[in-house]
Amino acid sequence: MPTPSMEDYLERIYKLIDEKGYARVSDIAEGLEVHPSSVTKMIQKLDKDNYLIYEKYRGLVLTNKGKKMGKRLMDRHELLESFLTIIGVQEENIYQDVEGIEHHLSWDSITCIETLVEYFRRDPNRTQELLSIRTELDNSE
């Protein structure tokens, strides 16, 4: 199982490849706000663990294992963003909050959140009811 740091790299690499068709060390470093040398070290570790194939000066390619994990991590991130949006978290807090919690939830918890998000998506009135309860609670303080 990848570490939280490995997950961040895999998610970023997957997203870059999905958007641009490739992932360069400089793009990964910029997106994760780390030094290129740190990216190179992690890429070598991910290569060793069979998440990607890396050839110096030629780039990297995700293996099937890396693609599967990258997609799963990106989906988890998007799910948590949806969840926080539905429950009324202020938009400017969502990204940081997801970054703070995504590595600390079990996949069982993620599945339960996915079910809850689907519950709210099936009937928008449920979301309105939830937000009205939040407003009531805020006003009673």
Side-chain angles (χ1 to χ4, degrees):
M1 210 55 187
T3 65
S5 181
M6 290 168 76
E7 287 183 349
D8 285 340
Y9 279 85
L10 281 169
E11 182 181 350
R12 185 70 191 146
I13 292 166
Y14 182 87
K15 189 171 185 174
L16 282 167
I17 291 172
D18 188 50
E19 291 172 354
K20 298 169 98 175
Y22 60 90
R24 296 182 311 198
V25 168
S26 59
D27 295 329
I28 299 165
E30 182 182 326
L32 295 175
E33 299 178 351
V34 297
H35 293 285
S37 59
S38 299
V39 174
T40 300
K41 285 178 191 171
M42 181 58 78
I43 286 174
Q44 290 168 345
K45 181 164 180 42
L46 292 169
D47 184 4
K48 182 175 157 278
D49 291 349
N50 299 312
Y51 287 105
L52 54 81
I53 298 167
Y54 174 65
E55 293 181 29
K56 198 172 185 177
Y57 307 116
R58 299 192 81 197
L60 59 93
V61 178
L62 288 171
T63 61
N64 285 336
K65 177 182 176 182
K67 287 177 189 173
K68 184 177 176 183
M69 181 58 74
K71 177 160 180 25
R72 188 176 187 198
L73 296 169
M74 200 166 92
D75 289 348
R76 175 183 71 184
H77 190 100
E78 291 171 359
L79 172 69
L80 291 172
E81 284 184 353
S82 295
F83 173 66
L84 294 179
T85 299
I86 286 169
I87 63 172
V89 173
Q90 294 178 9
E91 190 173 333
E92 62 268 16
N93 296 329
I94 290 176
Y95 181 80
Q96 278 303 117
D97 287 353
V98 169
E99 287 298 310
I101 64 174
E102 67 183 338
H103 302 295
H104 302 285
L105 294 172
S106 67
W107 287 104
D108 181 48
S109 293
I110 295 296
T111 300
C112 292
I113 290 170
E114 184 176 33
T115 303
L116 185 60
V117 166
E118 183 59 26
Y119 171 80
F120 283 108
R121 281 191 179 142
R122 287 185 182 190
D123 185 352
N125 292 325
R126 294 172 179 154
T127 303
Q128 290 305 319
E129 186 178 342
L130 175 70
L131 296 177
S132 70
I133 292 170
R134 180 178 175 191
T135 302
E136 284 176 31
L137 292 172
D138 287 346
N139 291 334
S140 68
E141 293 176 355

